[in-house]
Amino acid sequence: MTTEGTARIAVTGLATMGSNLARNLARHGFRVAVHNRTPTRTKALIEEHGHEGDFVAAETVEELVASLQKPRQIIIMVKAGGPTDAVIDELAAALEPGDMIIDGGNAHYADTRRREKALREKGLHFVGAGISGGEEGALNGPSIMPGGPAESYVHVGPVFEEIAAKVDGQPCCVHVGPDGAGHFVKMVHNGIEYADMQLIAEAYDLLNRVGGQSPAQIAEVFKQWNTGDLESYLVEITAEVLAHNSGDRPLVDVIEDAAEQKGTGRWTVQEALELGVPVTGIAEAVFARSLSGHTDQRKAVRDAFGASEVVAKPDEQLVEDVRQALYASKVVAYAQGFDMIREASKNYDWNIDLGAMATIWRGGCIIRARFLNRIREAYDANADLPSLLVDGYFRDAVKAAEEAWRRVVVRAVEAGVPTPGFVSALAYYDGLRSERLPASLVQGLRDFFGAHTYRRVDKPGSFHTLWSGDRSEIEA
């Protein structure tokens, strides 16, 4: 039987993520054409997993294209940057108007916007799809964030919704918006993930170094926390990691304390700066990873000043305080992420539904958490919410946690235990609440040395003080 023109969808790039995504598609009854630059990977996939569904192996791009139904849909799962451009160029040369290229990698959204425009001019559809959930999610049901033309979603949407994670019967997939919207949202998702992990790590550090609890004891604390408002995938696996031993020692004690990163968190901070959105929690998480990697510098400073002398003692109040501080700080991190998505949506005319983003993050993805239902409800009730913090539920939750949150920050500072995530989240909260900020002095200084002008609270317009003259004020 010929396989020409019979495959519903294709995957090229068969490393672990690509292979697992292809298997997921096949398991859901789709005939999947598979291709890799190195044919041995294609052969290995068929040999090891061919029994899971209907695969069509292609050794060349021409064979891959020929195997597909029209309009052709090809998912590329290759390294971001130059390799992605190379694959897109090769595919575009072999495809026809109306066909679709879907980039499922962690591409920068600006690259996705550029590629979508270039392919649109050739009559091809380009979909930048953020896919979250790692290797397990790709195989068993990820959260999928496709951007690109709305008409493309008519064809690829039903496929993605079928293979995505499901929560309450709803697929964790929705059309995010035009051009780079999908990859932008995935980038912010990863930025929130950075902040979430940093906050969890700080909670562990406080309970360990200040509270005197062992990793195994803290694992039990996180298991308990995972039954309440903090229930989430990251809290769940934190308990698993902390409970695991390497020989007779906790694994967390033998892992080098230098965290790595692949760049999406850094991209989030860079883009937030361009948009003028303060994502302080994400930024502190990125810088905390950077600081951890400067091991020689850390040693030099430690040798010069000595390590912090922390006197640990069991403290049940500390456990509860850290729980509340963790929850409040997580709310701030998510609030900042959603602020950033809203601002980009306005800036690029994407019209992103923030409630829908919370909905598709409830399952499959790394930051899935119980309170995403609350976030969805908040934006469903008021799509123009100025900040997640002013929603009734989150306002009350943060207010209830505030005293404990402050006690945790004070305790950490007194003990010399760094908690940049907790501290920055609290400072952000206090900054938003302040009746007056010292930015008035900043503006006065800027006007003094650079004649940058300032606005007044008692009359409209911009003004400048003649600092080097008679110091009278003029309207600018």
Side-chain angles (χ1 to χ4, degrees):
M1 181 181 73
T2 181
T3 57
E4 190 166 327
T6 61
R8 176 70 171 80
I9 196 164
V11 178
T12 180
L14 300 177
T16 305
M17 281 290 290
S19 293
N20 282 4
L21 193 66
R23 292 169 60 195
N24 188 354
L25 288 159
R27 288 177 176 185
H28 281 85
F30 297 106
R31 172 169 278 185
V32 187
V34 289
H35 167 266
N36 194 75
R37 183 175 56 84
T38 307
T40 52
R41 278 199 171 170
T42 309
K43 184 179 179 182
L45 173 63
I46 301 299
E47 288 178 350
E48 295 173 28
H49 304 289
H51 63 279
E52 296 180 351
D54 194 356
F55 295 97
V56 178
E59 289 197 3
T60 67
V61 165
E62 289 72 25
E63 287 181 16
L64 185 72
V65 170
S67 69
L68 286 163
Q69 301 172 9
K70 296 181 181 180
R72 302 175 183 92
Q73 299 166 47
I74 303 176
I75 303 172
I76 58 176
M77 299 293 292
V78 300
K79 187 176 179 181
T84 298
D85 279 321
V87 172
I88 290 172
D89 289 344
E90 188 176 11
L91 290 173
L95 294 173
E96 299 174 350
D99 291 342
M100 289 168 235
I101 298 174
I102 303 145
D103 180 9
N106 267 338
H108 193 286
Y109 83 98
D111 287 337
T112 302
R113 298 190 77 209
R114 166 178 59 80
R115 290 162 181 158
E116 194 276 333
K117 181 177 183 295
L119 291 177
R120 187 183 344 124
E121 291 171 355
K122 296 180 179 181
L124 298 173
H125 293 251
F126 185 70
V127 173
I131 299 177
S132 178
E135 298 169 7
E136 181 183 344
L139 181 61
N140 298 317
S143 173
I144 310 178
M145 297 151 259
E151 55 267 37
S152 299
Y153 195 77
V154 172
H155 297 282
V156 77
V159 178
F160 279 166
E161 290 176 15
E162 182 67 25
I163 69 167
K166 309 291 189 303
V167 176
D168 299 331
Q170 287 184 280
C172 294
C173 175
V174 70
H175 181 239
V176 176
D179 55 71
H183 275 144
F184 186 93
V185 166
K186 174 57 165 58
M187 175 188 72
V188 175
H189 163 285
N190 286 20
I192 294 172
E193 179 186 310
Y194 273 58
D196 207 341
M197 292 171 69
Q198 176 64 25
L199 292 167
I200 286 170
E202 291 177 15
Y204 153 73
D205 203 24
L206 284 166
L207 296 181
N208 179 239
R209 297 172 64 191
V210 179
Q213 296 198 30
S214 68
Q217 290 173 316
I218 301 170
E220 292 302 315
V221 171
F222 272 88
K223 283 182 183 177
Q224 183 61 38
W225 286 354
N226 199 47
T227 64
D229 287 341
L230 280 170
E231 180 189 343
S232 67
Y233 174 69
L234 284 172
V235 168
E236 175 189 343
I237 66 171
T238 296
E240 297 284 341
V241 173
L242 290 175
H244 187 69
N245 289 333
S246 176
D248 60 354
R249 297 182 64 187
L251 176 65
V252 73
D253 285 349
V254 298
I255 295 176
E256 184 179 349
D257 62 335
E260 298 180 358
Q261 53 186 305
K262 290 188 174 179
T264 47
R266 186 165 57 246
W267 288 351
T268 307
V269 177
Q270 290 169 340
E271 294 306 319
L273 290 170
E274 291 295 325
L275 290 167
V277 179
V279 292
T280 53
I282 298 170
E284 288 294 351
V286 171
F287 288 131
R289 291 198 193 186
S290 297
L291 186 149
S292 76
H294 287 272
T295 53
D296 291 343
Q297 186 181 51
R298 289 168 55 198
K299 183 181 184 306
V301 175
R302 190 166 60 248
D303 289 345
F305 291 91
S308 299
E309 296 181 7
V310 183
V311 179
K313 62 178 181 179
D315 186 343
E316 286 302 315
Q317 183 61 51
L318 178 66
V319 176
E320 174 57 19
D321 284 353
V322 170
R323 183 191 70 81
Q324 294 194 50
L326 178 57
Y327 189 77
S329 298
K330 280 164 70 82
V331 171
V332 167
Y334 281 72
Q336 291 176 352
F338 276 89
D339 286 349
M340 185 172 172
I341 293 172
R342 181 182 61 239
E343 190 63 28
S345 181
K346 288 193 298 185
N347 193 61
Y348 297 115
D349 198 24
W350 283 337
N351 196 31
I352 296 175
D353 181 339
L354 296 179
M357 297 307 98
T359 299
I360 66 173
W361 286 350
R362 294 182 304 160
C365 70
I366 304 302
I367 65 171
R368 58 186 183 267
R370 175 186 290 190
F371 78 175
L372 280 160
N373 281 317
R374 299 284 191 179
I375 295 177
R376 180 195 61 189
E377 292 166 4
Y379 284 113
D380 284 351
N382 181 5
D384 298 319
L385 207 59
S387 169
L388 193 60
L389 292 168
V390 305
D391 170 73
Y393 171 82
F394 290 111
R395 179 197 63 215
D396 293 345
V398 170
K399 273 186 177 181
E402 184 178 335
E403 287 187 17
W405 197 5
R406 294 190 188 282
R407 284 195 297 268
V408 165
V409 168
V410 170
R411 189 81 176 271
V413 171
E414 288 177 341
V417 175
T419 53
F422 285 154
V423 171
S424 70
L426 184 58
Y428 176 83
Y429 167 71
D430 285 337
L432 288 178
R433 294 171 58 242
S434 293
E435 185 75 32
R436 288 271 295 172
L437 291 170
S440 56
L441 177 57
V442 172
Q443 282 299 94
L445 295 172
R446 292 180 72 244
D447 188 62
F448 191 105
F449 66 70
H452 293 297
T453 76
Y454 50 84
R455 294 187 301 275
R456 296 177 59 103
V457 298
D458 53 356
K459 55 185 175 181
S462 294
F463 300 88
H464 168 57
T465 293
L466 300 173
W467 298 103
S468 60
D470 61 5
R471 302 207 169 185
S472 60
E473 184 181 74
I474 61 171
E475 192 163 358

